[in-house]
């Protein structure tokens, strides 16, 4: 049997291969156009409606808790007023429709291929096999029907696995007592973005809010005086990623080693096309 050619944990390797499938939602025109067709003219209205749709008409506090990474008040600017424009069911359907259209355009001749169909089949088997306890976003998606059409199935499965991993990532962050905005700071610096306050997900926050976050991280020894990661900060980030990987393994335990190897081989050309 051919061995998987990467030394990373299974969940890390599969994250690298499935994340490009999920990211069409954020970097392609079709999903934005699909949400606009519902009546949304603001990107973030469409984002919160589409992503939170599996949770139903819950208050902003619930979405804020489930998403974890937004600053105080950001979710409440969109939830629940987005439900004056559409329903959760329509929002999820539009998001899926837009993502599938983007995948079809980008993947071209891979659409309809046996490789894509097999990737969708194996990914769906993995994505529907993990326990839902403590996984709010994952559980919401698990309650929805899995599409039969291969490209839609591929996207839905990748999206479920992304939210499953995200739920576990929140556990890892909480274990290290790292809040949502603090997590963006650590990620920005880990990616080489400096100063961290310029990172796209947080640069719009009030200066006093960002200063308090940076001061808190300095006080814990995770950042130095210049706002860069210390050895303790790098170690904390590494522990978060290791635990995130460990908590993301469960879906792939449903597949045999041969199936995992086959899944990696099927996803590689898809991820390469999307990257």
């Amino acid at each position: 049997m051919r061995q998987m050619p990467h030394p990373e944990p299974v969940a890390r390797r599969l994250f690298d291969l499935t994340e490009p499938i999920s990211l069409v939602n954020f970097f392609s025109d079709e999903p934005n156009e699909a949400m606009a067709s519902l009546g949304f003219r603001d990107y973030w209205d469409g984002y919160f409606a589409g992503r939170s749709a599996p949770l139903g008409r819950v208050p902003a506090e619930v979405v804020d808790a489930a998403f974890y990474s937004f600053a105080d008040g950001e979710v409440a600017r969109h939830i629940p007023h987005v439900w004056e424009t559409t329903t959760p069911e329509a929002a999820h359907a539009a998001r899926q429709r837009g993502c599938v259209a983007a995948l079809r355009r980008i993947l071209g001749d891979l659409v309809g291929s046996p490789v894509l169909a097999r990737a969708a089949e194996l990914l769906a088997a993995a994505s529907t096999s993990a326990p839902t306890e403590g996984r709010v976003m994952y559980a919401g998606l698990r309650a929805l029907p899995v599409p039969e059409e291969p490209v839609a199935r591929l996207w839905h499965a990748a999206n479920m696995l992304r939210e499953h991993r995200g739920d576990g990532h929140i556990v890892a962050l909480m274990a290290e007592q790292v809040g949502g905005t603090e997590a963006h700071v650590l990620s920005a610096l880990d990616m080489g973005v400096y100063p961290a306050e310029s990172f796209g997900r947080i640069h719009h926050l009030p200066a006093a809010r960002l200063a308090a976050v940076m001061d808190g991280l300095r006080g814990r020894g995770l950042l130095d005086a210049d706002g860069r990661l210390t050895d303790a900060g790098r170690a904390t980030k590494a522990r978060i990623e290791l635990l995130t990987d460990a908590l993301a393994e469960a879906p792939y335990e449903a597949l045999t080693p041969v199936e995992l190897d086959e899944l990696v081989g099927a996803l590689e050309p898809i991820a390469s096309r999307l990257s």
Side-chain angles (χ1 to χ4, degrees):
M1 180 182 70
R2 182 173 64 87
Q3 296 297 311
M4 292 173 63
H6 290 262
E8 300 98 333
V10 169
R12 171 61 59 172
R13 179 62 179 138
L14 268 297
F15 171 74
D16 291 340
L17 292 172
T18 58
E19 183 72 349
I21 300 170
S22 301
L23 289 182
V24 298
N25 184 69
F26 309 106
F27 299 114
S28 301
D29 291 334
E30 291 90 341
N32 291 332
E33 292 166 357
M35 300 311 289
S37 73
L38 297 178
F40 294 122
R41 294 296 176 265
D42 177 86
Y43 168 81
W44 287 107
D45 276 349
Y47 169 88
F48 281 103
R51 188 179 170 208
S52 74
L55 301 178
R57 294 174 179 266
V58 296
E61 291 85 354
V62 174
V63 176
D64 191 35
F67 285 12
Y68 193 75
S69 62
F70 289 89
D72 293 344
E74 287 192 297
V75 175
R77 286 199 286 271
H78 307 277
I79 300 292
H81 88 77
V82 295
W83 306 131
E84 298 170 6
T85 299
T86 191
T87 65
E89 293 79 10
H92 176 75
R95 188 187 196 211
Q96 178 173 288
R97 183 170 64 251
C99 290
V100 170
L103 287 172
R104 286 182 168 277
R105 172 179 57 82
I106 298 168
L107 293 178
D109 60 336
L110 288 175
V111 175
S113 69
V115 167
L116 187 142
R118 184 58 172 158
E121 178 186 3
L122 290 171
L123 210 61
S127 67
T128 56
S129 69
T132 58
E133 290 86 354
R135 310 271 184 168
V136 175
M137 293 302 300
Y138 174 65
L141 286 166
R142 275 283 299 275
L144 301 177
V146 178
E148 292 293 332
E149 193 279 320
V151 180
R153 176 173 283 219
L154 182 76
W155 176 79
H156 185 72
N159 191 41
M160 275 201 286
L161 289 166
R162 188 175 201 263
E163 294 291 15
H164 179 277
R165 183 183 181 88
D167 288 334
H169 187 55
I170 291 170
V171 172
L173 289 169
M174 293 181 70
E176 293 288 341
Q177 300 182 46
V178 172
T181 305
E182 293 174 328
H184 288 311
V185 170
L186 297 184
S187 291
L189 294 171
D190 187 59
M191 291 185 293
V193 177
Y194 182 83
E197 297 95 324
S198 67
F199 185 47
R201 283 297 307 276
I202 60 174
H203 72 86
H204 61 284
L205 296 179
R209 161 72 174 163
L210 286 175
V213 169
M214 299 295 285
D215 286 345
L217 291 170
R218 288 190 187 95
R220 294 174 57 187
L222 303 184
L223 301 185
D224 62 20
D226 294 327
R228 298 182 185 275
L229 288 172
T230 61
D231 288 344
R234 283 186 286 273
T236 296
K237 185 70 169 69
R239 288 194 301 272
I240 290 168
E241 295 306 316
L242 284 172
L243 182 54
T244 298
D245 284 337
L247 293 174
E249 291 285 322
Y252 305 108
E253 293 172 359
L255 304 181
T256 67
V258 171
E259 288 173 329
L260 277 172
D261 205 38
E262 186 180 3
L263 176 60
V264 168
L267 285 172
E268 282 175 340
I270 295 170
S272 177
R273 189 75 61 90
L274 291 168
S275 298

